[in-house]
């Protein structure tokens, strides 16, 4: 099992934390509001703890469960405290109409995290194509992207501990297209599917 720190105290942090605890992982949560972090750790149970914002995370895998505009600033603030960690960005940089991304050019929040992260940290994009309640109740495929093979392997092990299937889409530049897939899920939810009770996945032909 894995040692996880979740930076953030919102709904995705709660859902990922609950699944991580249920999967036998060690969980620490951190938030700018210490009272919220303490309350979330208590609610998660399973020995979950609350760390202090900005201090060195206890987890080997650090999940950034923040809105996209807060992700890179948080990484910059933590600085060398993230050295040697596996950093997982789960955010989506949607525009105001949820039909595109805020980035200019073929970048992503995860790629910008890699620029801000200290040497030795491995950055992985994951979980961004999954609606929170589907992650909570279902068994969605989890697409991951990253340049560091060891970091991806550790995230794959974590994903499997949640009872889910990790699917490697390639290097970190593919995070841009994973964020595009996040926008695709919004388009499907608002149009072709008509609800948010689904996830993107891969169906393989038998034999």
């Amino acid at each position: 099992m894995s040692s996880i720190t979740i930076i953030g105290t919102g709904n995705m942090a709660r859902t990922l934390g609950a699944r991580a605890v249920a999967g036998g992982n060690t969980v620490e949560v951190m938030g700018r509001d210490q009272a919220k972090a303490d309350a979330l750790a208590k609610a998660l149970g399973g020995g979950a703890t609350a760390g202090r914002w900005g201090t060195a995370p206890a987890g080997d895998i650090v999940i950034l469960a923040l809105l996209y505009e807060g992700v890179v600033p948080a990484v910059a603030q933590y600085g060398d405290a993230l050295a040697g960690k596996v950093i997982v960005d789960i955010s989506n940089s949607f525009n105001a109409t949820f039909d595109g991304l805020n980035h200019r050019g073929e970048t992503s929040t995860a790629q910008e995290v890699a620029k801000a992260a200290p040497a030795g940290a491995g950055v992985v994009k994951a979980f961004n194509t999954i609606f929170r309640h589907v992650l909570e109740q279902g068994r969605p495929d989890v697409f991951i992207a990253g340049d560091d093979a060891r970091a991806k392997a550790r995230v794959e092990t974590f994903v499997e501990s949640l009872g889910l299937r990790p699917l490697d889409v390639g290097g970190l530049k593919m995070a841009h297209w994973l964020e595009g897939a996040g926008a695709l899920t919004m388009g499907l939810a608002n149009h072709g599917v008509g609800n948010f009770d689904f996830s993107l996945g891969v169906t393989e032909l038998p034999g």
Side-chain angles (χ1 to χ4, degrees):
M1 297 300 104
S2 303
S3 175
I4 307 297
T5 292
I6 300 173
I7 297 179
T9 57
N11 289 333
M12 278 296 285
R14 182 176 295 271
T15 297
L16 277 168
R19 290 206 72 145
V21 167
N25 301 282
T26 300
V27 177
E28 174 189 56
V29 295
M30 290 180 165
R32 292 184 184 276
D33 186 324
Q34 190 62 45
K36 288 184 177 180
D38 291 341
L40 177 54
K42 183 177 180 180
L44 292 176
T49 60
R52 302 289 170 180
W53 179 271
T55 62
D60 297 322
I61 298 175
V62 178
I63 299 174
L64 304 171
L66 302 165
L67 296 177
Y68 86 91
E69 61 266 27
V71 171
V72 173
V75 171
Q77 181 178 350
Y78 273 80
D80 288 341
L82 298 175
K85 304 290 185 179
V86 176
I87 303 171
V88 181
D89 167 41
I90 70 170
S91 68
N92 279 306
S93 56
F94 296 142
N95 62 16
T97 51
F98 296 95
D99 59 359
L101 304 179
N102 272 320
H103 301 304
R104 296 180 180 179
E106 289 188 15
T107 188
S108 65
T109 305
Q111 287 166 279
E112 298 307 309
V113 165
K115 295 175 184 177
V123 178
V124 176
K125 186 79 176 186
F127 294 104
N128 74 295
T129 63
I130 308 169
F131 295 120
R132 182 205 58 78
H133 69 286
V134 176
L135 179 61
E136 180 180 43
Q137 302 172 28
R139 294 177 62 86
D141 288 337
V142 181
F143 302 123
I144 67 173
D147 291 334
D148 186 321
R150 291 182 64 185
K152 283 199 289 190
R154 291 168 74 177
V155 174
E156 287 174 346
T157 297
F158 170 62
V159 170
E160 288 168 350
S161 79
L162 309 183
L164 307 177
R165 180 173 68 157
L167 292 173
D168 185 351
V169 305
L172 195 61
K173 68 180 182 180
M174 290 295 291
H176 172 78
W177 303 106
L178 284 184
E179 291 186 9
L184 175 64
T185 63
M186 294 298 296
L188 288 168
N190 290 319
H191 299 282
V193 176
N195 62 66
F196 293 82
D197 301 330
F198 72 96
S199 65
L200 302 181
V202 173
T203 300
E204 300 178 70
L205 293 174

